[in-house]
Amino acid sequence: MIIRMKKRKLKLRRILIPLTVLGFIVGLYVFFSAKKQEVSYFKAPNSVHIAFKDLVSEMETSKTAYFFCTESNVDCRYVDKEILDFLLIDANVEKFDNIFLVDTSTLGPSILPSILQKRFGFTDVPAFAILSYENGKIIIHSAIQWTNSEPFTAHDLKEWMKENQLWLKEYTN
């Protein structure tokens, strides 16, 4: 009888020890596995976001910089996450308060690139434009746009910002 109890304890240990080790490994895997995180876009421009359809009513007579983009556009996400994030680090700021995001998701396919060019100074998004509104007319002061044939770099955008006094003196570089 004593021998049977010793054999049972031995069998029980042979089962419990591997199960305990396996449970510990699974617990560590779950604890250290990557968690799904939401990526939030467009934190670099000013926190004020304007819908494209409301842009004209929001415009002022003073020159204002706008970033025309939408979250569904891959190029927009690239400009936001790669180029603007790099420039934020370069400027040592959390966001560019002097650039307003215009959400172009309401921009319908019926609006032709030629109309966009004539009215806002660019034909496709992502684009940056400095605009003002005077006497019922939009005045284009400067624009830079991303195209597949001519994408801009962080250096190009920084130079455009410097030319248009958007790169402020308090920025570190």
Side-chain angles (χ1 to χ4, degrees):
M1 180 142 149
I2 294 177
I3 296 174
R4 282 187 193 171
M5 287 181 65
K6 285 184 180 182
K7 283 185 179 181
R8 280 188 187 168
K9 284 184 181 179
L10 189 59
K11 284 183 180 180
L12 192 58
R13 284 185 186 165
R14 284 184 184 170
I15 293 172
L16 286 179
I17 290 175
L19 284 176
T20 305
V21 170
L22 182 64
F24 181 71
I25 291 171
V26 168
L28 286 176
Y29 173 77
V30 168
F31 182 75
F32 287 109
S33 64
K35 307 293 186 270
K36 185 175 180 178
Q37 296 179 349
E38 290 292 321
V39 177
S40 63
Y41 296 104
F42 308 122
K43 291 193 295 186
N46 190 315
S47 58
V48 175
H49 295 196
I50 304 167
F52 183 77
K53 62 182 175 127
D54 301 330
L55 177 62
V56 175
S57 63
E58 298 279 334
M59 292 179 80
E60 299 177 3
T61 57
S62 61
K63 291 181 183 180
T64 307
Y66 298 100
F67 175 37
F68 292 85
C69 222
T70 185
E71 190 175 311
S72 62
N73 185 310
V74 176
D75 293 333
C76 286
R77 292 193 313 250
Y78 176 80
V79 169
D80 177 55
K81 285 291 163 208
E82 298 297 326
I83 294 178
L84 284 176
D85 280 358
F86 174 79
L87 291 176
L88 287 172
I89 292 168
D90 194 28
N92 197 27
V93 295
E94 297 213 10
K95 65 174 102 180
F96 294 115
D97 289 326
N98 51 1
I99 300 175
F100 297 91
L101 175 72
V102 177
D103 184 8
T104 57
S105 60
T106 59
L107 181 66
S110 61
I111 298 179
L112 298 173
S114 58
I115 294 172
L116 284 175
Q117 177 69 40
K118 183 178 178 184
R119 194 148 193 218
F120 299 107
F122 59 89
T123 57
D124 200 8
V125 294
F128 291 84
I130 298 178
L131 309 169
S132 62
Y133 190 76
E134 293 177 23
N135 300 324
K137 185 178 178 185
I138 297 172
I139 299 170
I140 305 164
H141 299 280
S142 180
I144 183 172
Q145 76 176 10
W146 176 284
T147 62
N148 289 332
S149 59
E150 293 182 39
F152 54 78
T153 63
H155 177 73
D156 297 334
L157 184 56
K158 183 177 178 179
E159 289 302 313
W160 181 82
M161 290 173 74
K162 284 180 178 180
E163 289 170 10
N164 294 289
Q165 291 78 40
L166 296 173
W167 196 264
L168 304 177
K169 292 177 184 174
E170 60 263 19
Y171 296 166
T172 56
N173 291 317

